[in-house]
Amino acid sequence: MSAVNDSLVMARRNLIRMTRIPEMILFGLIQPIMFVVLFTYVFGGSMQIGNSTDLDVYKNFLMAGIFAQTVTFATASSGAGIADDMHKGLIDRFRSLPMARGAVLTGRTVADLVQTALTLLVLALVALLVGWRPGSVDSTNFAKILGGFGLLLLLGYAFTWIGALIGLSVRTPEAATSGGLIWLFPVTFISNAFVDSSKMTPWLRHIAEWNPFSATVQAARKLFGDPGLSPSDAWPMQHPVWASVIYSVLIIALFRTLAVRKYRRTAS
């Protein structure tokens, strides 16, 4: 309970800091909104999903991918924030306090999760304005829609631990931002987020179908009532909800362990 308390205190500290720098939240909202508009109206008319090139079909297909991209791109800000604290010497101050070693990192990732949830809420409203329509909203389907957003946030939280490890491994916030983004582009684009993976070259399609990012996107589509993709034999595409949960939990377990170990070595 002491470790949980310490983590909540650090999360509160990071949330207060975010509210005092509103540009961080504003710029975090602008980028995903731009992606929604650009992909919907610039590329939407030329995209084929299944056998359809209808723009409305692509809108419903696209939004789960945009949501997933948004939550994973929070990785870069998480890594940059931790690197900034390291660079300014705040980590050394935290070391002198009687607190759990992992609380600094857990507090940071929880605060980033809260910010990501707010961004996702605004983005969902924008998506509704441009024509995204999840399945008919009764009590059962509404629970599934919430479950889809829950899986997206779980993936985002898992990826922030990757960002935490990157932030602890570099010397400057600029390097953390670059290092946090450079690997995200192949992860998000070699996937089923923006195109039907069945249209890809076979070897690339297999990578996309086993990509943890693709599993969460497909799980969200399924829970939103829009499976969208052509049938696939890959296990993550046949059982996307389970695959999404398993992938996210494994990423959290692995990278939290590595990040806390790195923090302890850095602070020793």
Side-chain angles (χ1 to χ4, degrees):
M1 289 306 299
S2 176
V4 172
N5 244 3
D6 294 343
S7 299
L8 291 176
V9 169
M10 293 305 302
R12 181 172 177 271
R13 172 253 174 190
N14 284 292
L15 288 171
I16 291 173
R17 182 189 179 203
M18 289 175 186
T19 60
R20 292 176 179 173
I21 312 175
E23 302 86 42
M24 292 174 58
I25 300 174
L26 180 62
F27 293 148
L29 288 172
I30 290 175
Q31 179 179 307
I33 291 173
M34 287 177 61
F35 273 114
V36 169
V37 174
L38 289 173
F39 273 91
T40 300
Y41 296 108
V42 176
F43 301 112
S46 58
M47 293 292 187
Q48 182 174 351
I49 305 302
N51 295 318
S52 174
T53 56
D54 185 82
L55 180 59
D56 290 333
V57 172
Y58 185 66
K59 286 177 184 176
N60 288 325
F61 175 87
L62 171 69
M63 291 311 164
I66 294 290
F67 295 153
Q69 184 192 51
T70 300
V71 299
T72 53
F73 270 40
T75 300
S77 64
S78 180
I82 291 172
D84 187 48
D85 286 345
M86 294 280 290
H87 185 67
K88 291 178 177 177
L90 283 174
I91 297 299
D92 292 330
R93 297 181 187 179
F94 294 145
R95 284 170 55 192
S96 66
L97 299 175
M99 62 189 298
R101 289 295 190 185
V104 173
L105 302 180
T106 302
R108 176 74 208 196
T109 55
V110 169
D112 286 335
L113 180 64
V114 173
Q115 182 182 0
T116 301
L118 293 174
T119 302
L120 201 57
L121 175 62
V122 174
L123 190 58
L125 295 176
V126 174
L128 290 171
L129 289 176
V130 300
W132 174 59
R133 295 293 179 266
S136 58
V137 182
D138 55 33
S139 58
T140 303
N141 287 337
F142 185 69
K144 289 182 179 179
I145 292 170
L146 290 180
F149 283 113
L151 289 179
L152 290 165
L153 290 173
L154 181 62
L155 179 72
Y157 183 69
F159 274 42
T160 56
W161 280 106
I162 302 177
L165 181 60
I166 293 171
L168 291 168
S169 303
V170 299
R171 297 182 181 179
T172 65
E174 293 80 9
T177 302
S178 299
L181 286 175
I182 193 170
W183 63 274
L184 277 173
F185 282 101
V187 168
T188 54
F189 282 94
I190 304 177
S191 72
N192 60 11
F194 308 112
V195 297
D196 189 340
S197 56
S198 66
K199 312 296 183 189
M200 296 179 180
T201 305
W203 65 269
L204 197 61
R205 183 181 72 242
H206 293 312
I207 295 174
E209 290 175 342
W210 285 88
N211 183 347
F213 184 82
S214 294
T216 299
V217 172
Q218 182 65 0
R221 285 194 183 115
K222 182 177 181 180
L223 293 172
F224 292 158
D226 179 46
L229 292 176
S230 304
S232 170
D233 294 331
W235 186 85
M237 295 296 99
Q238 293 181 346
H239 309 278
V241 175
W242 280 110
S244 175
V245 173
I246 291 170
Y247 275 137
S248 295
V249 170
L250 287 177
I251 291 170
I252 292 171
L254 175 61
F255 283 93
R256 188 185 189 281
T257 302
L258 294 174
V260 172
R261 185 177 300 173
K262 180 73 173 177
Y263 174 79
R264 285 174 175 167
R265 289 177 180 173
T266 302
S268 62

